Amino acid sequence: MIGRKVPNVTFRTRVRDESIEGPNPFRWQDMTSDDYFKGKRVVLFSLPGAFTPTCSTYQLPDFEKLFPEFQAQGIDDIYCMSVNDAFVMNAWAKGQNLEHVKVIPDGSGEFTRKMGMLVNKDNLGFGMRSWRYAAIINDGVVEQWFEEEGFSDMCETDPYSVSSPQNILENLKREAKAA
């Protein structure tokens, strides 16, 4: 994975538009891989699903809380991706009161599949979802890779340690000291 360019994908997102009246002032906006990754150094973390226990209790809130420390290590943005649609991802972001972490809806799983991280989670009633992983991506190229162990279809467990924000931040700090 390290040294590999991220796949070129178009994401169907929903963005707030004040010119739209009514209770749902959002419009569709296509975003590409380049829009998210070109010319920036970012953390991308991907997880099995919005609103799920580990993701909602630990991973997403901790990335949000630690955002200033990531910035201090040269990270421009932090992106949370899941094989969920834009409506689900936006509702989750709103429910988590996100100010720093940005969500990316990979509704069809195209990006996840092209990254080689799409797994079958039918045993949990999820269908095809992302394996839990994270990466430091520098100008569209994977610089560091953090994949949870046990990658497999129908996995009974949901490992969470390697892709934690604390582990990634520790790696970034170690890298900065060595430079």
Side-chain angles (χ1 to χ4, degrees):
M1 288 294 183
I2 294 175
R4 179 175 159 195
K5 188 164 178 23
V6 297
N8 185 18
V9 171
T10 299
F11 301 94
R12 298 282 291 154
T13 69
R14 300 275 294 163
V15 296
R16 189 170 190 83
D17 184 338
E18 297 302 330
S19 71
I20 299 172
E21 294 183 17
N24 190 11
F26 290 85
R27 65 175 163 75
W28 288 105
Q29 180 171 316
D30 287 349
M31 296 285 287
T32 66
S33 297
D34 277 353
D35 292 328
Y36 288 115
F37 303 112
K38 190 174 184 176
K40 298 183 235 178
R41 187 172 186 227
V42 304
V43 173
L44 168 68
F45 68 102
S46 190
L47 39 84
F51 296 102
T52 55
T54 300
C55 312
S56 295
T57 306
Y58 303 108
Q59 197 169 24
L60 183 56
D62 285 355
F63 270 112
E64 176 73 12
K65 180 176 64 184
L66 293 170
F67 181 75
E69 290 188 51
F70 278 99
Q71 278 188 307
Q73 297 302 316
I75 297 299
D76 298 306
D77 280 312
I78 298 177
Y79 300 128
C80 173
M81 183 179 291
S82 183
V83 180
N84 289 117
D85 61 64
F87 295 100
V88 170
M89 293 299 281
N90 285 353
W92 190 36
K94 183 178 178 181
Q96 291 281 322
N97 298 311
L98 296 184
E99 293 180 22
H100 305 294
V101 175
K102 298 171 184 162
V103 295
I104 301 176
D106 188 19
S108 68
E110 180 184 3
F111 185 92
T112 302
R113 179 179 54 81
K114 288 179 176 179
M115 287 293 284
M117 291 285 105
L118 195 64
V119 292
N120 184 332
K121 290 190 165 278
D122 280 344
N123 59 320
L124 300 176
F126 281 8
M128 300 304 286
R129 294 294 179 105
S130 179
W131 188 254
R132 192 182 301 276
Y133 72 92
I136 306 295
I137 300 172
N138 194 348
D139 195 22
V141 176
V142 176
E143 182 181 292
Q144 293 184 45
W145 186 253
F146 306 88
E147 180 180 327
E148 296 297 340
E149 66 180 43
F151 177 90
S152 64
D153 287 336
M154 308 294 193
C155 189
E156 291 294 328
T157 61
D158 181 21
Y160 175 62
S161 65
V162 176
S163 66
S164 73
Q166 293 84 355
N167 185 56
I168 296 165
L169 193 55
E170 186 179 302
N171 274 275
L172 286 168
K173 288 177 179 178
R174 233 186 349 259
E175 174 190 85
K177 282 182 184 174

